[in-house]
Amino acid sequence: GIQVEQSPPDLILQEGANSTLRCNFSDSVNNLQWFHQNPWGQLINLFYIPSGTKQNGRLSATTVATERYSLLYISSSQTTDSGVYFCAVNWRGSQGNLIFGKGTKLSVKP
Amino acid sequence: DTGVSQDPRHKITKRGQNVTFRCDPISEHNRLYWYRQTLGQGPEFLTYFQNEAQLEKSRLLSDRFSAERPKGSFSTLEIQRTEQGDSAMYLCASSPQGAVTEAFFGQGTRLTVV
């Protein structure tokens, strides 16, 4: 099966700092999504980005499918950005279910 | 539409009891997924429905687990004879038909087996 690795596992930032989260995957994928899991456990959709670059406010994401990685950029971080960020891929060998990485736990300090 | 809805949000049960969770997907979505998430891990796939047909089951779905989607709308996940190892967050997701589509998750049901 496909492996999805996220780095770093933990990240502590001062409010206002920028950060880059990385997601590597070991095989070709049909889809890639980034999620933010809030303290109550809900997965919030950030980006649906099988390839290319997208931006949404202070967040942007880039997926280079041919090199099997994706990056999530957070600029001018706020305390509300704290939580766990997950990358998930839809693998060509699956029927649409997502394979998740272990996540990056982000803590933004005031 | 308010998104994917799950009920209950929290469930505490004694070991050996049966529990059932419900998921209502986004109304126009015909695909429905169940995932399980334990502490410190990413969600893991359990099973997948397209309309009322259960098309895929993970090896994680033991004989004590059963899922249904009788009319292709809401789905239920039942765990029989619960064990402490079943304690986890159970997440439901839905997506529209298509080759590759975006999935949306519910708030989850947090199960604690005591």
Side-chain angles (χ1 to χ4, degrees):
Chain A
I2 192 170
Q3 305 299 314
V4 181
E5 295 183 353
Q6 292 187 243
S7 59
D10 296 279
L11 186 58
I12 300 174
L13 296 176
Q14 206 66 34
E15 198 168 26
N18 302 331
S19 63
T20 301
L21 282 57
R22 187 175 180 104
C23 172
N24 292 334
F25 41 96
S26 61
D27 202 347
S28 299
V29 299
N30 297 322
N31 174 25
L32 187 143
Q33 291 187 241
W34 282 98
F35 296 92
H36 177 212
Q37 190 163 42
N38 67 23
W40 298 272
Q42 182 160 14
L43 288 165
I44 308 298
N45 288 42
L46 297 178
F47 293 101
Y48 168 70
I49 186 166
S51 63
T53 296
K54 290 186 178 180
Q55 180 153 9
N56 184 4
R58 295 181 297 103
L59 273 60
S60 64
T62 295
T63 297
V64 184
T66 52
E67 297 187 20
R68 300 182 183 169
Y69 74 89
S70 183
L71 302 173
L72 177 68
Y73 305 96
I74 304 174
S75 64
S76 305
S77 58
Q78 301 175 357
T79 56
T80 52
D81 295 332
S82 297
V84 183
Y85 289 79
F86 286 103
C87 164
V89 302
N90 174 269
W91 180 45
R92 58 181 172 78
S94 71
Q95 290 210 44
N97 57 285
L98 292 168
I99 310 297
F100 282 78
K102 291 190 175 182
T104 291
K105 184 175 180 181
L106 175 64
S107 299
V108 181
K109 306 296 184 184
Chain B
D1 187 44
T2 56
V4 180
S5 179
Q6 293 189 243
D7 184 71
R9 297 290 305 278
H10 303 273
K11 178 72 177 178
I12 300 175
T13 191
K14 291 183 178 179
R15 190 174 49 184
Q17 298 294 305
N18 300 341
V19 294
T20 300
F21 310 140
R22 178 181 170 122
C23 171
D24 287 89
I26 294 172
S27 58
E28 64 269 25
H29 288 182
N30 68 336
R31 293 176 174 172
L32 186 148
Y33 307 84
W34 286 98
Y35 292 81
R36 182 174 70 185
Q37 185 179 21
T38 53
L39 202 61
Q41 302 295 316
E44 294 176 291
F45 168 72
L46 291 178
T47 190
Y48 156 59
F49 289 86
Q50 182 157 304
N51 300 311
E52 65 275 10
Q54 189 173 17
L55 297 185
E56 192 173 359
K57 291 188 212 180
S58 160
R59 57 178 174 77
L60 294 176
L61 210 68
S62 76
D63 291 346
R64 297 184 297 105
F65 287 67
S66 63
E68 294 183 342
R69 194 182 183 197
K71 296 184 180 179
S73 57
F74 73 91
S75 176
T76 58
L77 178 68
E78 181 183 17
I79 308 175
Q80 296 182 326
R81 305 181 303 281
T82 52
E83 301 172 356
Q84 286 189 322
D86 297 331
S87 296
M89 174 77 92
Y90 290 84
L91 293 160
C92 176
S94 71
S95 67
Q97 179 124 17
V100 178
T101 56
E102 186 175 6
F104 296 85
F105 282 78
Q107 315 97 311
T109 294
R110 189 174 296 279
L111 172 67
T112 302
V113 181
V114 297

